[in-house]
Amino acid sequence: MATEAFLASAGLTDEVVRRDAKTNLRKAADVLQSGGLVAFPTETVYGLGANALDATAVARVFEVKRRPRFDPLIVHVHSMVQARLVACYWRDTAVELARRFWPGPLTLVLPKSDVVPDIVASGLSTVAVRVPDHPLALALIAEAGLPVAAPSANTFGSISPTRAEHVRKQLDGEIDLLLDGGPCRVGVESTILSLEDDVPLLLRAGGTPLEEIESVVGPVRRQRSDPGRPTAPGQCPQHYAPKTQLVLWQDDGSPPASPRAGLLTLCPPADPNQFAAVEVLAESGNLREAATNLFAALHRLDAMGLDLIVAVPVPDEGLGLAINDRLRRAATTKKQ
Ligand code: TXA
Ligand code: MG
């Protein structure tokens, strides 16, 4: 079996994680093959997976996530050969991008092949596909011998899970099996690029920096944001949101007045005493490190019973684009 090789090559060193992975992988593959749901780690966030070729299994993903049926899922595959099974037409730029960035946090939206049931793509003629860069995800897909449809393993609209405990907290009892792969390395979801037209279109900023994509395929179009009609519901203005009210603050002048506010910031603040809690995303200011820590920091602040989370936007470059996108959406959520 390929499992041992995957685990070794990926430097999955934590013994507990390794043991859990080995004993549970075969079980997880069985669950997928028999129409069940498996939460599994990827390099970006944890996914909630089902056999992408089984419409009934995929319907359960929508139910468990309480996700609207108009919001299509990403199909996870382990190789280019399997990707060609689910997406039927590949222009040269698509092949080039796949070669350069897979396995990795880049999702390509391509014309869908008929083997993929309509429910996966919410009735669209396209399918979103990616090869995740995580040994357990790859081993699971290989072991099951199936493409795996998986959204992030959280309830719709809430903060994405970057640790197994985040999944347990939101979805315990509703999934058949959870594979624990420890914390996710990248920490924000994949970049989504539509390759339906000649010029690639950015649908969601994510774990693969736009600058790197543009260095391979030239300028990428940005989606004009029309909150009333999102093309990728990752673009829904209300998304990735904590239960606590979150506001953006430029760190100039005094922060929004609130008796118990928590601060989410890239670098340590000048005066931490103004806040009941402070989460620093990366002491060094490194945006990759900040992305890795983003959702876990939000989960922690959200669990503290604060009145307000004050988030400082980061520089709009590299992974900063994805971080700011998630912060903006967390901020626009209306609280009940
Ligand atoms: O990193 C990731 O992308 C994670 C891990 C688990 O792979 N997955 C993830 O899935 O973030 P989800 O469901 O939370 O977000 C997928 C996004 C949605 O906004 C959906 O609208 C978009 O992908 N999408 C899926 N199929 C699409 C299609 N055919 N056309 C346009 N957008 C699509
Ligand atoms: Mg999601």
Side-chain angles (χ1 to χ4, degrees):
M1 165 162 101
T3 310
E4 194 53 45
F6 274 124
L7 296 179
S9 71
L12 213 61
T13 48
D14 184 313
E15 259 316 307
V16 179
V17 171
R18 278 176 63 86
R19 227 176 306 131
D20 179 64
K22 274 206 310 208
T23 45
N24 280 327
L25 255 172
R26 187 55 246 169
K27 257 195 244 167
D30 285 340
V31 168
L32 288 180
Q33 285 166 347
S34 51
L37 305 189
V38 174
F40 64 98
T42 79
E43 80 282 31
T44 58
V45 300
Y46 276 73
L48 175 60
N51 175 0
L53 308 181
D54 178 343
T56 313
V58 172
R60 243 191 94 204
V61 172
F62 282 92
E63 276 157 31
V64 165
K65 247 195 94 102
R66 298 182 265 294
R67 179 178 178 114
R69 288 285 179 96
F70 61 73
D71 189 357
L73 306 183
I74 295 174
V75 176
H76 297 69
V77 294
H78 66 71
S79 64
M80 195 62 196
V81 173
Q82 206 179 27
R84 284 186 186 276
L85 267 176
V86 299
C88 61
Y89 176 69
W90 292 69
R91 53 181 78 243
D92 291 346
T93 39
V95 176
E96 226 175 316
L97 286 165
R99 282 215 183 103
R100 169 69 180 77
F101 293 107
W102 284 356
L106 177 64
T107 294
L108 301 179
V109 172
L110 300 164
K112 182 178 89 59
S113 79
D114 290 340
V115 297
V116 179
D118 285 340
I119 186 171
V120 173
S122 300
L124 298 172
S125 58
T126 52
V127 64
V129 59
R130 85 177 188 100
V131 179
D133 187 14
H134 193 289
L136 286 187
L138 291 171
L140 175 65
I141 301 165
E143 189 78 21
L146 295 165
V148 175
S152 49
N154 53 292
T155 49
F156 184 71
S158 52
I159 311 171
S160 299
T162 51
R163 289 157 195 241
E165 75 226 36
H166 299 157
V167 181
R168 266 185 223 110
K169 215 160 87 189
Q170 291 197 39
L171 299 178
D172 207 19
E174 304 201 59
I175 51 183
D176 300 304
L177 199 141
L178 165 63
L179 279 179
D180 188 344
C184 300
R185 178 173 54 79
V186 174
V188 288
E189 296 85 348
S190 59
T191 302
I192 305 181
L193 215 55
S194 168
L195 292 163
E196 271 194 281
D197 299 324
D198 283 333
V199 182
L201 173 68
L202 179 71
L203 296 180
R204 178 176 74 185
T208 301
L210 191 59
E211 296 90 331
E212 286 184 25
I213 295 170
E214 290 190 321
S215 75
V216 176
V217 293
V220 165
R221 269 185 305 146
R222 318 282 178 103
Q223 181 82 14
R224 235 180 301 118
S225 89
D226 177 355
R229 210 186 154 280
T231 317
Q235 299 163 9
C236 280
Q238 299 176 17
H239 225 85
Y240 309 110
K243 294 191 193 76
T244 316
Q245 174 92 40
L246 184 147
V247 294
L248 298 180
W249 177 54
Q250 296 298 341
D251 199 5
D252 46 5
S254 37
S258 169
R260 255 178 75 74
L263 179 71
L264 183 74
T265 171
L266 179 60
C267 299
D271 180 9
N273 296 326
Q274 300 176 87
F275 300 95
V278 175
E279 284 284 349
V280 173
L281 292 176
E283 295 269 346
S284 62
N286 181 295
L287 291 171
R288 279 186 193 271
E289 191 184 327
T292 305
N293 295 329
L294 175 66
F295 288 136
L298 266 176
H299 276 286
R300 279 193 297 270
L301 288 174
D302 202 23
M304 291 185 68
L306 299 164
D307 299 322
L308 189 68
I309 298 172
V310 177
V312 184
V314 303
D316 231 350
E317 63 198 29
L319 287 200
L321 223 60
I323 295 172
N324 286 337
D325 169 80
R326 304 305 184 267
L327 292 180
R328 268 195 307 273
R329 289 179 211 289
T332 44
T333 302
K334 290 190 193 71
K335 305 294 164 192
Q336 298 89 0

